[in-house]
Amino acid sequence: VWWVHNTNLWLKKQNLANNYMNIIIVGPPGAGKGTQSDKIVSKYQLFKISTGDLLRNEIKKKTLLGKKIEKIVNSGSLVSDNIINDLIEKIVSDKKYKNKIIFDGYPRNIQQAKNLNTLLKKHEQKIDLVISLKVSLDLIVKRITGRLVCSKCGNIFNEFFNPPPSNLTCCKDGFLKRRSDDNVKTVKKRHETYENLTKPLLDHYSKSGLLKNIGGENKIEEIAAKIAGFINLIQGWLWKIWS
Ligand code: AMP
């Protein structure tokens, strides 16, 4: 009857208004994944799930898991898939995050991508968009050695390219820290890990038609605008399918 149809339509429109979507952001270390994810989070009210942040938090809190993974993270290799999959299952199974996630730095290899697919299916979700950021190794090294992260709020800055404004109340000198894996030696290893294990994901997601490539060397705001363009495009598509 007509009101069932109208109610369905209304519900679908509410879904769109609430920006229900899951996004993956892929790129080498220093590509700007974290910076761009933060922008998407505030524009579209999503949750950023950074496996790197989750792991660093365990290390900072000196948990059993933190002690186990500290050396691996500082060497630039990948933590085992089992550990990562457990962390991710907790998030994907939580209703609060349902269809509102931007995955930053995850999946990192084909096995993790397959596992994510299985988990999302189990919890009636899917990936709507995969964004790949491309940056040359030279620029990566410059960006990584200048990166500063606020230990209080997590804001990311760069002493050369994006210095913290002087009027901030939170991100002051005492709180601005360098990551222990942000040194030239580890960054080269992290880049190698990306080339060997993570890059094959691009082919994987390109085949499923979800992949959008974006040059990651432009200004932060220019890249953010391009990403927003892709998100608006997929939202337009969802709108057409649903209405
Ligand atoms: P990130 O903050 O994304 O640069 O990650 C920092 C480090 O955490 C990486 O170099 C890895 O050692 C580890 N890590 C982060 N995400 C993953 C993941 N999805 N799988 C395995 N290891 C990860």
Side-chain angles (χ1 to χ4, degrees), residues 37-125:
S37 301
D38 288 341
K39 295 220 163 273
I40 301 170
V41 161
S42 52
K43 192 169 163 103
Y44 297 94
Q45 291 86 46
L46 303 180
F47 294 95
K48 171 171 99 167
I49 302 302
S50 152
T51 40
D53 284 349
L54 293 174
L55 297 173
R56 275 185 292 279
N57 199 31
E58 297 288 330
I59 296 172
K60 198 171 148 193
K61 288 196 308 196
K62 297 190 185 338
T63 62
L64 214 61
L65 174 60
K67 285 178 190 159
K68 204 168 145 187
I69 60 174
E70 186 165 13
K71 272 203 188 116
I72 305 171
V73 169
N74 284 331
S75 76
S77 305
L78 293 187
V79 169
S80 86
D81 291 343
N82 287 344
I83 291 176
I84 299 293
N85 293 342
D86 285 351
L87 289 175
I88 290 292
E89 174 139 34
K90 282 195 195 109
I91 309 276
V92 171
S93 59
D94 187 335
K95 288 225 162 59
K96 177 174 130 191
Y97 301 114
K98 189 166 183 182
N99 280 315
K100 284 189 152 289
I101 304 176
I102 170 144
F103 294 100
D104 161 10
Y106 171 86
R108 277 295 228 273
N109 59 30
I110 295 282
Q111 196 48 46
Q112 290 182 12
K114 287 186 175 156
N115 186 67
L116 176 63
N117 203 26
T118 311
L119 274 180
L120 288 174
K121 262 196 192 138
K122 183 172 156 195
H123 296 281
E124 294 169 323
Q125 300 178 62

Side-chain angles (χ1 to χ4, degrees), residues 5-230:
H5 175 75
N6 277 356
T7 312
N8 274 340
L9 216 62
W10 182 83
L11 283 172
K12 282 168 184 170
K13 284 183 180 171
Q14 287 305 304
N15 273 353
L16 280 176
N18 286 329
N19 297 319
Y20 279 104
M21 63 192 142
N22 290 320
I23 300 174
I24 293 174
I25 188 155
V26 193
K33 302 184 294 291
T35 302
Q36 293 300 331
S37 301
D38 288 341
K39 295 220 163 273
I40 301 170
V41 161
S42 52
K43 192 169 163 103
Y44 297 94
Q45 291 86 46
L46 303 180
F47 294 95
K48 171 171 99 167
I49 302 302
S50 152
T51 40
D53 284 349
L54 293 174
L55 297 173
R56 275 185 292 279
N57 199 31
E58 297 288 330
I59 296 172
K60 198 171 148 193
K61 288 196 308 196
K62 297 190 185 338
T63 62
L64 214 61
L65 174 60
K67 285 178 190 159
K68 204 168 145 187
I69 60 174
E70 186 165 13
K71 272 203 188 116
I72 305 171
V73 169
N74 284 331
S75 76
S77 305
L78 293 187
V79 169
S80 86
D81 291 343
N82 287 344
I83 291 176
I84 299 293
N85 293 342
D86 285 351
L87 289 175
I88 290 292
E89 174 139 34
K90 282 195 195 109
I91 309 276
V92 171
S93 59
D94 187 335
K95 288 225 162 59
K96 177 174 130 191
Y97 301 114
K98 189 166 183 182
N99 280 315
K100 284 189 152 289
I101 304 176
I102 170 144
F103 294 100
D104 161 10
Y106 171 86
R108 277 295 228 273
N109 59 30
I110 295 282
Q111 196 48 46
Q112 290 182 12
K114 287 186 175 156
N115 186 67
L116 176 63
N117 203 26
T118 311
L119 274 180
L120 288 174
K121 262 196 192 138
K122 183 172 156 195
H123 296 281
E124 294 169 323
Q125 300 178 62
K126 63 179 173 51
I127 294 296
D128 298 293
L129 177 66
V130 179
I131 293 159
S132 155
L133 295 174
K134 285 212 169 67
V135 181
S136 72
L137 182 57
D138 275 356
L139 185 58
I140 286 172
V141 172
K142 279 186 202 142
R143 280 189 182 171
I144 290 278
T145 48
R147 172 153 62 186
L148 297 166
V149 184
C150 177
S151 54
K152 225 176 161 191
C153 72
N155 261 346
I156 308 164
F157 300 99
N158 188 292
E159 63 178 319
F160 313 120
F161 307 113
N162 177 31
S166 54
N167 59 354
L168 289 179
T169 47
C170 174
C171 318
K172 294 202 170 104
D173 284 348
F175 295 120
L176 290 172
K177 299 261 181 336
R178 286 181 200 282
R179 278 171 45 175
S180 55
D181 60 344
D182 277 352
N183 55 70
V184 177
K185 187 172 167 238
T186 311
V187 98
K188 290 205 165 137
K189 172 68 187 165
R190 284 157 65 199
H191 188 261
E192 202 183 295
T193 308
Y194 173 79
E195 289 286 322
N196 294 336
L197 299 174
T198 312
K199 227 174 165 186
L201 284 181
L202 301 184
D203 221 28
H204 175 82
Y205 286 119
S206 164
K207 280 182 189 138
S208 47
L210 294 171
L211 184 73
K212 298 289 174 208
N213 289 298
I214 297 183
E217 303 204 344
N218 298 334
K219 292 210 176 84
I220 292 174
E221 293 307 329
E222 282 169 19
I223 300 167
K226 279 197 183 147
I227 295 178
F230 285 128

